[in-house]
């Protein structure tokens, strides 16, 4: 495959259990801080749940957007706040009709609907301020476009755990087709009981800290957060070098145990990036579920037979579901730049250290490990239904 001109990731705003903004998140990422995950009551009947909650109060939306006010949109605007000056600059340069919005989510504002149902059960009426729009999955991108006064394309992508990564690929396509000059892209997801109980019904929620790649792994910890990029053609410090996707449709929830779909996505991303791109770090999807870790470790060994430094970062944030792919690509964005990672460190893999002998052995990052070459990163995201995605970024050339 002939490499195509890369698009550039010129700005990043993010929030998750590691902190608010790039500085806090980068510091927690590089030291492998798991303190943002906490045990809470009320999510699952009769037991606590370990969740990656964003700490502190979230500011309500302006009154004219009250119908869109939810924890999800509040997280989204918190991420936007960090890059608002850069966003305004792109709008000023290109005009409102040439800036698009493409976002991924899987929960949207379902938490607001849960509170409304609970209120109705008690008071036989919906609470003041509740609007169905708060829980519409497709509403996230149009909301942000209206908030910013944009008239370009506004698209919400919901493909489970690849959602925000697929949003970046869609945003890149808008640039390549000449439909936009800049796109605000990423995703947001917020904690809700529906998601936690759904995964619990699949016996996929860990009772303690998630434990990726361990023989004792027992499932995910769910988290929340948002990550927003500005994607554009003009040069910036970091480029999106390659993207690869596959859809193996093996099962409605279980991945293909051979890892063939994951392998296909990884190879497609590498082919698009080109033969001169040497990946130095792989951010694993690493959900700490039995089947995901099994197939991903197999695919990784096949694609990188000589080994590659890799780690799973979900023990630091929880699994952000629809926002996971953009969030973990954001981690790679931070790793790739001296401004945020002066020593070239890699995020350590947090687990109990008890390897599963049935899985291929991977080069899991330990404390203090650093890039051995160029700061080029691949990030994996795998979703229900055999929906697989791999993204590669690195310093612009």
């Amino acid at each position: 495959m002939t490499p195509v001109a890369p698009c550039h990731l010129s700005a990043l705003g993010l929030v998750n259990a590691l902190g608010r903004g790039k500085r806090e998140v980068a510091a927690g990422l590089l030291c492998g801080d798991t303190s943002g995950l906490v045990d809470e009551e009320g999510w699952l009947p009769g037991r606590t749940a370990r969740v990656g909650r964003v700490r502190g109060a979230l500011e309500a939306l302006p009154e004219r957007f009250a119908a869109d006010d939810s924890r999800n949109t509040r997280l989204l605007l918190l991420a936007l706040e960090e890059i608002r000056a850069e966003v305004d600059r792109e709008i000023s340069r290109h005009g409102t009709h040439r800036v698009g919005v493409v976002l991924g989510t899987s929960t949207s504002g379902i938490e607001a609907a849960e509170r409304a149902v609970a209120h109705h059960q008690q008071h036989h009426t919906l609470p003041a301020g509740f609007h169905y729009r708060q829980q519409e999955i497709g509403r996230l991108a149009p909301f942000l476009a209206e908030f910013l006064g944009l008239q370009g394309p506004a698209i919400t992508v919901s493909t489970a755990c690849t959602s925000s990564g697929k949003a970046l690929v869609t945003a890149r396509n808008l640039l390549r087709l000449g439909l936009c000059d800049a796109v605000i892209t990423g995703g947001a997801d917020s904690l809700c009981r529906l998601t936690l109980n759904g995964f619990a019904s699949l016996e996929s929620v860990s009772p303690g800290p998630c434990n990726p790649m361990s023989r004792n792994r027992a499932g995910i910890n769910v988290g929340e957060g948002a990550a927003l990029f500005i994607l554009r053609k003009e040069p910036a410090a970091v480029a999106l070098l390659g993207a690869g996707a596959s859809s193996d449709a093996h099962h409605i929830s279980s991945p293909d145990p051979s890892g063939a779909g994951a392998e296909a996505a990884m190879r497609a991303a590498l082919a698009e990036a080109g033969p001169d791109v040497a990946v130095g770090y792989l951010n694993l999807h690493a959900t700490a579920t039995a089947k995901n870790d099994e197939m991903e470790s197999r695919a990784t060994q096949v694609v990188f037979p000589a080994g590659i430094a890799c780690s799973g970062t979900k023990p630091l944030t929880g699994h952000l579901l629809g926002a996971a792919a953009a969030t973990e690509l954001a981690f790679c964005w931070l790793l790739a730049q001296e401004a945020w990672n002066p020593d070239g460190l890699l995020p350590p893999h947090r687990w109990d250290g008890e390897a599963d002998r049935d899985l291929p052995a991977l080069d899991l990052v330990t404390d203090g490990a650093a890039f051995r070459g160029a700061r080029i990163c691949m990030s994996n995201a795998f979703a229900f239904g055999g929906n697989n995605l791999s993204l590669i970024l690195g310093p612009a050339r």
Side-chain angles (χ1 to χ4, degrees), residues 197-228:
N197 283 275
F199 278 104
S201 71
L202 295 173
E203 300 181 346
S204 295
V205 174
S206 176
C210 70
N211 201 3
M213 299 299 167
S214 168
R215 67 184 180 91
N216 301 312
R217 64 191 185 279
I220 68 173
N221 303 139
V222 178
E224 65 178 2
L228 284 179

Side-chain angles (χ1 to χ4, degrees), residues 43-50 192-207 218-222 289 321 384:
W43 295 108
L44 300 172
R47 57 182 277 201
T48 61
R50 177 156 293 208
C192 64
R193 289 178 179 82
L194 178 68
T195 298
L196 275 153
N197 283 275
F199 278 104
S201 71
L202 295 173
E203 300 181 346
S204 295
V205 174
S206 176
I220 68 173
N221 303 139
V222 178
T289 55
L321 307 178
F384 283 174

Side-chain angles (χ1 to χ4, degrees), residues 131-302:
H131 195 286
Y132 181 78
R133 183 186 294 176
Q134 293 164 329
Q135 69 177 29
E136 290 180 2
I137 286 181
R139 177 62 188 163
L140 194 64
F143 155 72
L144 188 60
E146 291 171 20
F147 184 85
L148 293 168
L150 298 176
Q151 302 175 63
I155 303 167
T156 305
V157 178
S158 191
T159 53
C161 304
T162 59
S163 298
S164 54
K166 289 293 184 74
L168 267 95
V169 175
T170 302
R172 184 191 64 172
N173 292 343
L174 291 177
L175 294 178
R176 288 181 173 176
L177 290 169
L179 298 174
C180 293
D181 293 311
V183 184
I184 303 159
T185 184
D189 249 351
S190 46
L191 290 167
C192 64
R193 289 178 179 82
L194 178 68
T195 298
L196 275 153
N197 283 275
F199 278 104
S201 71
L202 295 173
E203 300 181 346
S204 295
V205 174
S206 176
C210 70
N211 201 3
M213 299 299 167
S214 168
R215 67 184 180 91
N216 301 312
R217 64 191 185 279
I220 68 173
N221 303 139
V222 178
E224 65 178 2
L228 284 179
F229 294 96
I230 296 175
L231 189 69
R232 67 185 196 188
K233 288 184 179 179
E234 289 88 355
V238 177
L240 182 61
L241 301 173
S246 70
S247 182
D248 58 60
H250 172 77
H251 184 269
I252 192 170
S253 60
S254 180
D256 180 346
S258 72
E263 178 189 346
M266 296 164 76
R267 289 196 185 281
L270 289 165
E272 186 175 88
D276 61 332
V277 171
V279 175
Y281 168 71
L282 171 61
N283 180 278
L284 299 164
H285 188 58
T287 60
T289 55
K291 295 299 183 182
N292 177 91
D293 289 10
E294 175 187 354
M295 73 87 182
E296 187 174 17
S297 60
R298 289 176 178 170
T300 300
Q301 184 188 53
V302 171

